Amino acid sequence: MTDPRILQLAKRRQDMAHEESSINPSWDQLHRESQTVLLSEAEEWLLATVEAGVAPPAERPTDKHSAVWVDEEGFLYGEYQTVPSSHGDALLRLVWASEVCTSKREMEAEGAEFRLLGWSQ
């Protein structure tokens, strides 16, 4: 398990399964077998979302790809490639520029495909 999202998904699934119950064991209180099952399921679901194009792969596809991040408040950031490499540590906050607005419908009609990353404020 190298993708940190697998553990995030497994822990959240554990919480969801017990939200209505007054008994919600923490991840560390679960039996090892239960953790293993949840991690296995999370890994399979995450792989399915990556292959379906709903979620990005955890690893950079090529050196020419830059990461796009959304934080807990919905702000978007683009990775800024530096020389020498900052190893993904340099980010630029992406801001809305109305003068560069484009029609999503027109772009889709021309073959563009979009993925929802999150919601910005």
Side-chain angles (χ1 to χ4, degrees), residues 91-110:
L91 297 179
L92 290 173
R93 182 159 169 214
L94 305 179
V95 296
W96 306 120
S98 60
E99 66 274 4
V100 191
C101 183
T102 305
S103 168
K104 182 175 178 260
R105 259 186 252 123
E106 288 177 12
M107 290 180 68
E108 288 172 329
E110 294 172 6

Side-chain angles (χ1 to χ4, degrees), residues 21 27 58 69 86 95 99 101 113 115:
S21 170
W27 181 258
W69 300 94
S86 66
V95 296
E99 66 274 4
C101 183
E113 294 182 22
R115 275 194 310 261

Side-chain angles (χ1 to χ4, degrees), residues 6-19 24 27 30 37-39 41-42 45:
I6 294 169
L7 182 57
Q8 289 174 309
L9 287 169
K11 285 182 173 183
R12 181 63 193 128
R13 178 65 185 101
Q14 158 64 17
D15 288 341
M16 288 172 57
H18 294 89
E19 281 179 345
N24 187 0
W27 181 258
L30 290 178
V37 167
L38 287 166
L39 288 168
E41 290 175 356
W45 276 107

